[in-house]
Amino acid sequence: MNAALATPNLAEVNADLGRDAPALVRWALRLGQRAIVTTNFRPFEAVILHMVTRVQPDVPVVWMDNGYATEATYRFADEVSQQLKLNLQIYLPRRSRAHREAVEGPAPALDDPRHAAFTEEVKLEPFARALRETAPKVWFTALRATDTAVRAAMEPVSINPDGLIKVAPLLHWSSKDLHEYCQAHGLPNNFDYVDPTKAQDNRECGLHLTH
């Protein structure tokens, strides 16, 4: 591990670059360490994918496909992947949705005691597997402060419990900012999106609490 990665001055980086997303992306990639971008192809995801891949086109793009995405989301994933020539790496649960539902029925509601195990199976375990297999040192995510109270308290760059440098270049961006970026760069978008592990838009699924 190089010195820049071992002792990054996070306070300085956040102060200097925390509101300059493209510069923050360039800084993180100049560390020269293996990076990944995670995506769920929710609204405005094309922004982070474009911003990172225009600097490093072959960066692995990790998608935990839980099997419950809408048809529009799957079409959007294909469109963005083709347009940006993404190095997409898809991580699936150990069981297919058809298998799971044949045995246990539809995805459990938030107040169902089985919901935590469901989230672990379709999102957390696949992500842990992705981290083991891709072995990144830098993780780009499209988190935004307006998403949840937990995210509002985050900094654009942090070191997570795994020791990863977690970079959220768009943390302070508004929907207007994201829309204008999509327009300026001819990027598609998708608003027909659901996440059964979150159940509510302002709720954490657990991934960013654990990682």
Side-chain angles (χ1 to χ4, degrees):
M1 184 180 295
N2 65 25
L5 186 59
T7 57
N9 187 331
L10 297 188
E12 182 177 308
V13 173
N14 282 315
D16 293 347
L17 304 177
R19 293 182 181 273
D20 186 342
L24 188 56
V25 168
R26 291 193 297 271
W27 169 83
L29 291 175
R30 277 201 299 264
L31 292 173
Q33 299 294 321
R34 182 168 176 79
I36 63 168
V37 187
T38 52
T39 185
N40 49 18
F41 294 106
R42 69 172 181 163
F44 300 116
E45 284 289 287
V47 175
I48 188 73
L49 298 173
H50 179 269
M51 194 174 288
V52 176
T53 58
R54 72 190 305 191
V55 180
Q56 183 180 328
D58 65 347
V59 64
V61 175
V62 173
W63 179 26
M64 283 72 68
D65 176 9
N66 58 35
Y68 289 82
T70 64
E71 291 184 7
T73 298
Y74 285 115
R75 289 193 295 268
F76 174 62
D78 280 2
E79 183 178 3
V80 175
S81 296
Q82 292 165 14
Q83 181 172 332
L84 300 182
K85 298 180 173 58
L86 299 181
N87 177 16
L88 185 63
Q89 301 187 15
I90 302 174
Y91 283 82
L92 303 170
R94 298 293 190 185
R95 291 188 296 176
S96 69
R97 176 177 176 176
H99 184 172
R100 187 182 316 107
E101 292 193 343
V103 176
E104 300 181 21
L110 187 57
D111 59 357
D112 189 314
R114 299 174 302 157
H115 192 272
F118 171 76
T119 299
E120 174 66 27
E121 179 177 358
V122 305
K123 180 175 284 188
L124 301 185
E125 187 282 327
F127 184 56
R129 190 170 2 117
L131 289 181
R132 289 195 304 271
E133 294 182 5
T134 61
K137 299 296 184 183
V138 176
W139 169 22
F140 289 100
T141 172
L143 294 181
R144 293 170 58 204
T146 55
D147 290 339
T148 70
V150 169
R151 298 175 189 191
M154 291 180 174
E155 293 285 354
V157 183
S158 60
I159 297 181
N160 76 358
D162 304 313
L164 283 171
I165 293 184
K166 185 174 181 178
V167 186
L170 309 178
L171 189 69
H172 298 302
W173 281 38
S174 67
S175 294
K176 182 175 183 291
D177 295 329
L178 296 166
H179 172 73
E180 289 176 349
Y181 188 99
C182 287
Q183 293 288 98
H185 296 281
L187 299 173
N189 210 346
N190 169 49
F191 292 100
D192 185 4
Y193 172 79
V194 295
D195 183 347
T197 66
K198 290 182 67 174
Q200 300 169 358
D201 288 342
N202 62 349
R203 177 182 177 275
E204 289 289 345
C205 65
L207 190 151
H208 291 284
L209 298 176
T210 306
H211 301 282

